[in-house]
Amino acid sequence: MDKWKRRTLYYLSTLVVVFFGYALVYDYGMTVYEGHNQPFYHSLQVVIETFTTTGYGSDAPWETPEMNVLVMIMDLTGVVLIFMALPVFVVPLFEDALSTTLPTAVEDLEDHVVICTHSPRAETLISELESWDVKYVIVEPDRERAMDLYESGHHVIHGDPESVETLAGANLDAAKALVADASDEVDVSIVLTAREVAEDVRIVSVVEEPDQETYHELAGVDEVLSPRRLVGESLADKVTTAVSAELGEAVEIGSDFEIAELPVQRGSEIAGNTLAESGIRERSGANVIGAWIRGEFETPPSPDLELDSGTVLLVAGRQSQLERLKELTSSQTHRPRRGTVLVAGHGEVGSTVTDALAAANISYTVVDVAEKPGVDVSGDATDPETLEKAGIQQARTVVFTIADDTLTGFGTLVARDLNPDIEVLARAEETENVQKLYRAGADYVLALATVSGRMLASTILEREEVISMGKQVEIVRTTATEFVGQSLAEADVRARTGCTVVAVERDGEVVTEVGPQFRFQHGDDVIVAGTDEGVNRFTTLAN
């Protein structure tokens, strides 16, 4: 509505200025060239008659060429203004009349999640909600985007999420939770409005800049999430693990039982072998749950899977077993690997990476397009000259933390060309671009949208605990009521869902020896690992 008001105001203002401008010129011309002194309002009347084609000027015909030229110019100006009105007003009005009417409110919807507004991370959240049969409604102010969502089958209402009327139309007072995910400033406004509509509703917001977190809390948010910080920590962990003899960050499932991701490095003992030839189980005692091959997750991995530098193993075992396996996956030629770490981009993710590297006493060089504190080389991180100046040919790892997937993909290609042996870690803004970055040559990619969606799901869904959101797969603790009384072989979890049952928590103890004959019981909490889709299938079948 505001857009239409602005358009109308601009157009009418233009008409008034043009009418009066031509009236002044016409009045002057009639006095000087035609020798007629007449009231100004009569000159204005002639201009309006000419522009609206209701007449051709009551003073016609004109005797001087100057006045005839002026009238012709007025005629042409009137035609141009009419044609301007067609695309600005007439065509959109017809399009609106013929288009689908978008809903502006929901009826009889309870215990649902109100999502303000749609974003890439919302897709992961929606997938999680649907797997648990939790209803949702998206509040989207942009009509075109709302129309796309509506036509694709999403539950959406069109309206301003900062409006009391819109949130009331979303039946917020009967909702399970509200997610504010627009921008830091807009989110605060949404929260204040939500508290006016439903004082007790649970509100979760996603903060882009950590220094804005205080204002979200002051506005009344129950939970503030900062996914960029988590992504930065996860990327930094991959660097520190690669140069350290320690295992690095792992997910603790029970006493001395963990799940970790271990990348197969160039020059390691098992690089170039198949999974069967590597003898991982026999040599380390750890269990390989799955493997990422250039971004494609496979579980269980095939014995013929070739282990190379693009493979990331998802493994489970005791800490001593995982540490032995890390020795098998680590490079033998560089212990520790020489060279610095290049960090491309120094926003929230990049600064989190550098803080972790500094704490681990790992040397690094920061490249950013802007000159600011903490930046060592100022320039475009996709420019070969900038990367050469930053020392990429001597570096062992480059971490792309740029908030633009197109630039990250291009920068990965440039980095690979300048240093074919370099390890490339990348942050992806959207999940759909992960595969593209792997094809460009990245060794490890973590999608911000996926991490954000999982954080939201873990906060809202009390029935599913996301144990690890920084891993490339979901590791969740959930229930399996539909499998009670069945053995793991009878439930056929892997074939039906693509997930792996890692462990089962029973009577306060974690059972890690979960073989085909293991039988599910009432009260079991099942720890499963898999992709988003796989975990969603598991929760749908098991509950």
Side-chain angles (χ1 to χ4, degrees):
M1 187 62 184
D2 291 339
K3 182 172 67 175
W4 279 101
K5 286 181 179 178
R6 287 196 300 271
R7 284 183 177 181
T8 303
L9 180 62
Y10 293 155
Y11 186 74
L12 292 178
S13 300
T14 301
L15 285 181
V16 171
V17 172
V18 171
F19 283 163
F20 275 90
Y22 272 114
L24 289 170
V25 175
Y26 182 84
D27 191 67
Y28 175 80
M30 289 297 293
T31 302
V32 175
Y33 298 111
E34 297 289 329
H36 292 290
N37 289 317
Q38 58 189 24
F40 177 75
Y41 67 81
H42 180 74
S43 299
L44 181 61
Q45 175 192 350
V46 173
V47 171
I48 293 174
E49 288 175 347
T50 303
F51 273 50
T52 59
T53 69
T54 55
Y56 293 96
S58 54
D59 292 337
W62 294 272
E63 298 178 358
T64 61
E66 289 85 356
M67 289 305 298
N68 280 282
V69 169
L70 175 61
V71 171
M72 285 188 286
I73 294 174
M74 286 196 301
D75 289 338
L76 292 173
T77 304
V79 171
V80 170
L81 289 174
I82 290 173
F83 277 104
M84 281 177 58
L86 288 175
V88 174
F89 294 102
V90 180
V91 174
L93 284 173
F94 272 105
E95 289 178 346
D96 287 347
L98 296 173
S99 63
T100 304
T101 301
L102 285 169
T104 56
V106 295
E107 295 181 2
D108 302 326
L109 194 62
E110 295 181 355
D111 205 27
H112 58 292
V113 177
V114 179
I115 304 172
C116 309
T117 59
H118 185 266
S119 66
R121 52 183 153 252
E123 288 300 324
T124 301
L125 172 60
I126 290 170
S127 178
E128 300 283 347
L129 295 177
E130 290 177 338
S131 72
W132 282 103
D133 198 27
V134 175
K135 297 176 182 178
Y136 70 91
V137 62
I138 304 170
V139 179
E140 179 52 55
D142 185 271
R143 178 179 175 79
E144 185 175 346
R145 186 181 302 166
M147 181 65 69
D148 291 340
L149 293 169
Y150 183 74
E151 292 178 346
S152 64
H154 286 81
H155 303 287
V156 61
I157 63 173
H158 177 228
D160 182 3
E162 301 175 65
S163 163
V164 170
E165 182 182 0
T166 300
L167 293 186
N171 208 14
L172 183 62
D173 57 352
K176 174 192 290 289
L178 177 141
V179 175
D181 187 14
S183 66
D184 287 342
E185 293 79 9
V186 174
D187 286 349
V188 169
S189 178
I190 292 172
V191 173
L192 293 172
T193 305
R195 285 295 176 222
E196 184 177 346
V197 177
E199 186 175 350
D200 297 328
V201 71
R202 180 172 175 77
I203 301 178
V204 181
S205 68
V206 179
V207 67
E208 301 290 341
E209 299 295 335
D211 57 1
Q212 302 291 322
E213 188 171 326
T214 301
Y215 306 114
H216 287 236
E217 293 172 346
L218 290 173
V221 170
D222 294 294
E223 190 83 26
V224 183
L225 305 181
S226 181
R228 295 177 189 274
R229 186 180 301 158
L230 178 59
V231 170
E233 291 170 353
S234 298
L235 290 173
D237 179 63
K238 293 297 173 291
V239 180
T240 55
T241 301
V243 298
S244 171
E246 299 178 357
L247 180 62
E249 182 183 2
V251 180
E252 185 174 342
I253 302 301
S255 177
D256 196 30
F257 185 80
E258 300 173 335
I259 296 176
E261 283 179 343
L262 290 177
V264 178
Q265 297 178 0
R266 293 178 178 85
S268 65
E269 281 190 47
I270 63 174
N273 296 325
T274 64
L275 184 59
E277 293 169 345
S278 67
I280 288 176
R281 179 69 176 175
E282 296 76 18
R283 299 171 67 182
S284 69
N287 182 35
V288 178
I289 301 171
W292 285 89
I293 307 97
R294 297 294 178 186
E296 290 288 346
F297 186 67
E298 183 179 331
T299 182
S302 168
D304 298 325
L305 170 66
E306 185 172 345
L307 306 176
D308 57 25
S309 59
T311 304
V312 179
L313 300 177
L314 183 68
V315 294
R318 303 189 183 282
Q319 186 173 16
S320 58
Q321 295 172 332
L322 297 183
E323 288 175 349
R324 284 198 296 271
L325 179 54
K326 184 181 186 302
E327 294 179 0
L328 299 177
T329 60
S330 299
S331 172
Q332 298 296 307
T333 55
H334 302 98
R335 280 186 184 275
R337 298 174 65 192
R338 61 181 176 82
T340 60
V341 176
L342 262 61
V343 180
H346 202 243
E348 174 61 19
V349 178
S351 59
T352 303
V353 171
T354 56
D355 288 345
L357 295 179
N361 199 27
I362 297 174
S363 62
Y364 61 87
T365 301
V366 178
V367 180
D368 195 274
V369 69
E371 292 186 11
K372 54 185 177 181
V375 176
D376 301 304
V377 178
S378 177
D380 184 356
T382 65
D383 181 25
E385 292 185 4
T386 301
L387 292 179
E388 286 177 346
K389 184 178 178 181
I392 193 169
Q393 290 162 332
Q394 292 77 41
R396 57 175 177 79
T397 303
V398 58
V399 185
F400 284 97
T401 67
I402 307 169
D404 187 316
D405 293 346
T406 300
L407 294 179
T408 298
F410 192 84
T412 299
L413 292 170
V414 174
R416 277 269 174 254
D417 181 57
L418 295 174
N419 185 348
D421 296 326
I422 198 168
E423 179 185 39
V424 179
L425 310 180
R427 158 261 188 103
E429 191 71 12
E430 298 185 19
T431 305
E432 62 186 19
N433 292 325
V434 170
Q435 283 296 321
K436 189 185 300 182
L437 296 179
Y438 274 112
R439 286 195 294 271
D443 294 297
Y444 185 89
V445 182
L446 194 57
L448 178 65
T450 300
V451 172
S452 305
R454 288 176 182 169
M455 291 180 76
L456 289 169
S458 178
T459 303
I460 294 171
L461 296 175
E462 298 175 356
R463 289 167 292 182
E464 177 183 297
E465 179 189 353
V466 181
I467 299 174
S468 172
M469 292 168 287
K471 302 298 180 188
Q472 296 191 75
V473 295
E474 277 196 288
I475 304 168
V476 303
R477 180 184 283 107
T478 183
T479 57
T481 54
E482 292 299 319
F483 293 156
V484 170
Q486 297 182 39
S487 68
L488 189 59
E490 291 169 345
D492 202 13
V493 171
R494 277 188 171 179
R496 296 171 68 189
T497 68
C499 289
T500 297
V501 176
V502 178
V504 173
E505 187 173 331
R506 177 178 294 169
D507 298 328
E509 295 185 3
V510 177
V511 181
T512 59
E513 297 298 326
V514 185
Q517 303 307 314
F518 179 87
R519 198 167 294 275
F520 294 101
Q521 296 181 5
H522 284 288
D524 284 350
D525 280 341
V526 183
I527 295 139
V528 296
T531 61
D532 293 330
E533 296 79 6
V535 171
N536 290 340
R537 284 194 295 269
F538 179 88
T539 54
T540 301
L541 285 172
N543 295 279

